[in-house]
Amino acid sequence: MKSPLAKILLRPLATSALFAVLYGIYLVLAKQPQIPLTLFVVIGFYFAASLLLERFVFPRFGL
């Protein structure tokens, strides 16, 4: 059985990693400057939002 912390962190971490790959591909194709910095900031916010949803919103709806 997984610990509660691992259960809370697993889904946001997996979705953040997938989002990082897809968004990174988009940035490369769009020839965006400063790709590493942009990816770091966007993925940080995405992970924080996912974690907040996973911890506070989803349990209230039974998800």
Side-chain angles (χ1 to χ4, degrees), residues 24-57:
I25 292 170
Y26 165 75
L27 290 176
V28 168
L29 292 176
K31 297 180 180 153
Q32 186 76 14
Q34 297 183 354
I35 291 173
L37 180 62
T38 303
L39 268 179
F40 179 74
V41 171
V42 170
I43 298 307
F45 280 111
Y46 183 82
F47 179 72
S50 296
L51 191 59
L52 288 172
L53 285 172
E54 190 75 31
R55 176 69 175 100
F56 297 110
V57 177

